[in-house]
Amino acid sequence: MDFSYSDRTEQLRARLHDFMDDHILPRIGQWQEEVHGGRYPVSFMADLKSLAREEGLWNLFLPGLRDDEPGTRLTNLEYAPLAEIMGRVPWSSEVFNCSAPDTGNMEVLHMFASESQREAWLRPLLNGEIRSAFAMTEPDVASSDATNIQTSIRRDGEDYVINGRKWFITNAHHPDCRIFILMGKTDPEADTHRQQSMVLVPMDTPGVELVRNIPTLNHHSPEGHSEVLFRNVRVPVSNLIGNEGDGFMIAQARLGPGRIHHCMRAIGMAEVCLELMVARAQERKTFGRYLFQHGAIGEWIARSRIEIEQARLLVLKTAAMIDHAGARGARKEISMIKVIAPTLLTTVADRAMQVFGAMGVTPDTPLADFFTGGRVLRYADGPDEVHLQTIARLELKESADRRVDAARYMTPRESDWPSG
């Protein structure tokens, strides 16, 4: 398997690196100042988005773009290293119209929306004119099992009436968020995986209430990890995505590529953590020696490099598998990277924070934010435990399919020795 980047990808990586160096990194301080001062979106975001689009660094994640849709048709394998570069400054993804959950929502609309839905919502999303949210997780059930979702989507004539409470809904507090893709139950009596459907709910629909923007580990995200109440929300039947009962299938299709994006962004953050750790270890001394000359810190640096390279290769392999066999054909690998990448990020960020000492837990470095992001990612898009169960189940099935006789590799007892 060849994971060397194509000439096209290398050119895009170079252009993206230059854009980050010239336009993103110089504005990190201004972004922090404006957001902490209560201004969001930041004053320069629209200008940067316009510049990124002019330079062809726009909608890099959709391989099936139509000729009249803006963006660059990249496979998952081609996009993965670009997601890593954007992950180095988490807010930068918005500049290139590559932010979650918009990316996943655009994929859903691209695959399943009607022409009228595409015109009303996909086109402005592709143009970066609006933002969106994906409303699935609920506070009253274990939402890692999507069949538990309780939000009701009841048909009433030519409308659906929606009742339920969602939370940790990313983007819902973004001032430019205009649309929810909401998952709920249209038929609680159907087969387990045919009870759920997805509908489009405009933000300004009567009965939609933003309850609060929930901090995570006391970290406030301006775009929101929001609790949202849907009380007798009425939308036309034409807002249904696909058919009734397609919700679970659509959710699975949405999550495959999205996990590649999340994991590569996490690897980008881990790279920054390692770079900061290495720089700090070479400039600070304790007991007459530079920090890297102390055995533990040298080992942290080495292990971090090993772990980052391992994770990146597995994510690239998974991206290639999705490109060739679809998300279903890469189920085990998708679960593996979803476990590995967040743990990698929190591990490397924690080491870097320790090397920085007290400064590591302050806003003076991005380390505390990276650690928080990695910790949250351990349950976003499914907790580690669910993915570990999936891996184990698939491994057992594959073993049975191969008819592996593990006993042949064990030392036989004397009574089992061949006679003669």
Side-chain angles (χ1 to χ4, degrees):
M1 232 176 246
D2 181 10
F3 293 127
S4 59
Y5 301 139
S6 67
D7 291 342
R8 182 191 192 195
T9 302
E10 288 288 17
Q11 291 172 8
L12 283 168
R13 288 180 73 237
R15 288 165 53 196
L16 186 56
H17 268 301
D18 289 345
F19 193 102
M20 296 284 288
D21 288 344
D22 294 342
H23 303 293
I24 302 293
L25 298 183
R27 287 181 168 86
I28 289 177
Q30 185 181 355
W31 191 91
Q32 295 278 6
E33 183 178 345
E34 290 192 13
V35 169
H36 293 160
R39 178 164 187 167
Y40 191 77
V42 292
S43 61
F44 52 85
M45 182 57 69
D47 290 340
L48 288 186
K49 289 172 75 171
S50 178
L51 181 60
R53 185 166 179 174
E54 288 175 10
E55 295 195 10
L57 298 171
W58 191 259
N59 290 340
L60 301 165
F61 60 93
L62 274 172
L65 282 169
R66 297 180 179 180
D67 291 340
D68 63 342
E69 293 173 334
T72 305
R73 295 185 183 95
L74 297 179
T75 66
N76 286 286
L77 184 57
E78 290 173 322
Y79 176 68
L82 306 180
E84 177 180 342
I85 295 170
M86 290 180 236
R88 296 171 67 89
V89 181
W91 57 263
S92 73
S93 294
E94 182 175 2
V95 173
F96 310 101
N97 213 38
C98 292
S99 290
D102 295 323
T103 49
N105 291 343
M106 284 186 261
E107 286 171 331
V108 165
L109 294 172
H110 216 267
M111 290 186 288
F112 303 107
S114 66
E115 283 302 318
S116 61
Q117 291 170 347
R118 294 172 70 102
E119 189 63 31
W121 302 113
L122 178 58
R123 188 167 297 279
L125 279 168
L126 287 170
N127 287 329
E129 298 164 357
I130 64 172
R131 302 294 305 274
S132 63
F134 184 68
M136 186 180 81
T137 304
E138 297 179 4
D140 297 325
V141 297
S143 300
S144 56
D145 178 359
T147 63
N148 286 333
I149 298 302
Q150 295 299 306
T151 293
S152 169
I153 304 174
R154 178 179 57 84
R155 183 155 183 170
D156 182 19
E158 292 305 306
D159 291 336
Y160 285 116
V161 179
I162 302 166
N163 282 281
R165 185 182 295 269
K166 302 288 187 178
W167 74 343
F168 285 87
I169 308 306
T170 303
N171 246 19
H173 269 81
H174 195 294
D176 296 333
C177 188
R178 297 289 181 271
I179 188 72
F180 291 100
I181 294 180
L182 177 139
M183 184 166 172
K185 285 190 175 178
T186 44
D187 185 0
E189 304 304 318
D191 290 342
T192 301
H193 295 97
R194 295 293 301 170
Q195 298 176 5
Q196 306 82 14
S197 299
M198 288 193 186
V199 294
L200 291 158
V201 182
M203 285 281 295
D204 58 1
T205 307
V208 175
E209 178 187 347
L210 293 182
V211 178
R212 57 174 172 152
N213 180 0
I214 307 169
T216 56
L217 295 179
N218 291 332
H219 168 86
H220 173 82
S221 294
E223 72 275 13
H225 298 303
S226 308
E227 182 175 358
V228 188
L229 181 63
F230 297 85
R231 183 185 288 114
N232 294 322
V233 173
R234 187 175 289 268
V235 298
V237 169
S238 59
N239 281 25
L240 179 72
I241 300 176
N243 301 306
E244 286 194 8
D246 285 349
F248 192 88
M249 176 271 294
I250 293 172
Q252 293 304 304
R254 181 185 186 277
L255 288 172
R259 286 173 176 147
I260 297 290
H261 308 171
H262 274 315
C263 291
M264 289 303 285
R265 284 192 291 262
I267 289 169
M269 295 179 217
E271 280 284 6
V272 175
C273 292
L274 178 55
E275 289 170 12
L276 292 173
M277 187 187 346
V278 169
R280 182 76 166 187
Q282 293 178 90
E283 68 182 24
R284 285 295 175 102
K285 286 184 175 181
T286 60
F287 307 105
R289 304 171 70 192
Y290 286 105
L291 294 181
F292 74 87
Q293 294 174 316
H294 295 280
I297 294 175
E299 182 177 326
W300 293 348
I301 292 169
R303 289 191 179 279
S304 296
R305 172 49 63 206
I306 292 168
E307 291 156 4
I308 288 172
E309 297 301 323
Q310 289 174 327
R312 182 186 291 113
L313 285 172
L314 184 54
V315 178
L316 292 175
K317 175 190 175 184
T318 306
M321 291 182 70
I322 293 177
D323 288 336
H324 289 100
R328 184 168 182 80
R331 283 178 299 166
K332 186 168 71 172
E333 286 73 17
I334 289 170
S335 285
M336 286 194 287
I337 65 172
K338 183 57 183 60
V339 172
I340 285 174
T343 303
L344 164 74
L345 177 53
T346 54
T347 299
V348 180
D350 185 72
R351 290 169 182 156
M353 291 162 70
Q354 194 73 5
V355 171
F356 270 80
M359 187 180 180
V361 297
T362 73
D364 292 357
T365 79
L367 298 173
D369 284 347
F370 287 169
F371 181 89
T372 300
R375 186 61 189 86
V376 171
L377 196 56
R378 286 190 59 200
Y379 56 77
D381 288 350
D384 291 356
E385 291 73 20
V386 169
H387 290 290
L388 290 168
Q389 288 180 349
T390 297
I391 296 164
R393 184 176 67 251
L394 292 172
E395 192 70 18
L396 290 165
K397 181 180 183 302
E398 290 171 11
S399 175
D401 291 344
R402 294 194 305 266
R403 298 183 179 180
V404 174
D405 183 5
R408 296 179 63 190
Y409 295 91
M410 299 174 66
T411 302
R413 295 171 298 178
E414 184 175 350
S415 58
D416 295 329
W417 290 359
S419 59

